[in-house]
């Protein structure tokens, strides 16, 4: 990722350039892994193949990985999340620039800050809660969420905002799934702690 000024406007942008031959290398690796999976399917004991279909697992992984290598798709994902989160206070989703983005070059607004996991801000606990609220909003409200929340993708900005970057991995969940998740969270939040255990000398009356 490189920091650069956008020629047309002068905006500071992050330019992510895909390494040469990544697509070809990944394709070869996935092909070889799939050939091994076919051998496992043919020769592994039935109790193994009944529990795990390696080919289906690899095919699912391959589809997601190829999607992550398409920066045009990442740009579209980022703009969709940015629109969904526009009314959430103190949350910055960087602007994307589709007019200068290609499959192998992605251009987005530069986010200048420190990683949330390494922040020394006085209100870091509040900022962490804000990050949680951001993800819960995506999961329970829009159903379209950032699926790669590692520490390198969450920033604390000098403005006191939380910045969320890198939308190569996203996921859409149905309204039914969102409802089930909401019920689960409500159930967990409403659980009462068990009564304290009594010592050997305690009586019911005490």
């Amino acid at each position: 990722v490189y920091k650069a000024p956008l020629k047309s406007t002068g905006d500071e942008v992050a330019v992510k350039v895909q390494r040469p031959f990544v697509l070809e290398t990944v394709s070869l690796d996935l092909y070889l892994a799939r050939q091994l999976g076919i051998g496992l399917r043919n020769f592994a004991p039935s109790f193994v193949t009944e529990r795990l279909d390696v080919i289906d697992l690899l095919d699912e992984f391959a589809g997601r990985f190829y999607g992550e290598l398409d920066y045009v798709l990442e740009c579209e994902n980022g703009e969709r999340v940015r629109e969904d989160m526009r009314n959430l206070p103190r949350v910055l989703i960087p602007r994307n620039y589709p007019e200068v983005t290609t499959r192998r070059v992605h251009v987005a607004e530069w986010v200048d800050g420190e990683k949330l996991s390494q922040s020394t801000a006085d209100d870091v606990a509040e900022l962490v809660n804000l990050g949680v609220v951001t993800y819960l909003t995506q999961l329970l409200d829009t159903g379209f969420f950032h699926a790669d929340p590692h520490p390198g993708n969450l920033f604390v900005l000098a403005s006191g905002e939380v910045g969320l970057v890198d939308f190569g991995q996203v996921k859409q969940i149905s309204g039914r799934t969102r409802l089930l998740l909401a019920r689960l969270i409500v159930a967990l939040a409403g659980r009462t702690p068990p009564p304290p255990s009594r010592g050997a000398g305690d009586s019911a009356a005490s």
Side-chain angles (χ1 to χ4, degrees), residues 21-39:
F21 306 110
V22 167
L23 185 62
E24 293 82 356
T25 302
V26 168
S27 297
L28 177 59
D29 289 345
L30 289 172
Y31 171 77
L32 294 174
R34 204 173 192 280
Q35 293 302 110
L36 290 173
I38 291 173

Side-chain angles (χ1 to χ4, degrees), residues 40-192:
L40 179 63
R41 175 188 280 176
N42 292 335
F43 298 105
S46 59
F47 71 88
V48 173
T49 56
E50 288 173 359
R51 292 175 176 271
L52 175 65
D53 191 323
V54 177
I55 301 301
D56 283 349
L57 185 63
L58 280 171
D59 288 348
E60 177 68 19
F61 173 78
R64 301 294 178 187
F65 202 94
Y66 281 130
E68 190 174 359
L69 291 177
D70 186 348
Y71 290 167
V72 173
L73 183 59
E74 178 178 343
C75 180
E76 294 172 354
N77 294 338
E79 283 300 279
R80 178 172 174 181
V81 174
R82 185 169 183 263
E83 176 65 18
D84 288 345
M85 300 291 102
R86 68 187 186 281
N87 294 324
L88 206 59
R90 296 183 65 192
V91 174
L92 173 69
I93 307 298
R95 174 187 173 189
N96 292 263
Y97 294 85
E99 65 274 14
V100 287
T101 292
T102 67
R103 187 187 68 79
R104 295 177 56 188
V105 178
H106 179 254
V107 182
E109 176 184 357
W110 180 266
V111 175
D112 200 0
E114 60 180 351
K115 293 180 181 180
L116 180 58
S117 61
Q118 299 173 355
S119 175
T120 57
D122 294 337
D123 59 345
V124 67
E126 181 183 348
L127 293 171
V128 170
N129 287 336
L130 181 57
V132 172
V133 169
T134 303
Y135 274 96
L136 287 177
T137 300
Q138 294 175 47
L139 281 170
L140 303 180
D141 185 14
T142 68
F144 188 76
F145 65 95
H146 184 283
D148 191 18
H150 65 75
N153 286 339
L154 285 163
F155 287 84
V156 178
L157 282 63
S159 60
E161 296 174 296
V162 170
L164 182 60
V165 302
D166 192 353
F167 296 91
Q169 294 186 38
V170 296
K171 182 68 177 175
Q172 176 75 60
I173 56 177
S174 67
R176 173 177 171 76
T177 301
R178 298 204 302 271
L179 179 60
L180 292 174
L181 281 172
R183 288 176 174 173
L184 175 63
I185 291 171
V186 169
L188 290 173
R191 288 180 61 182
T192 56

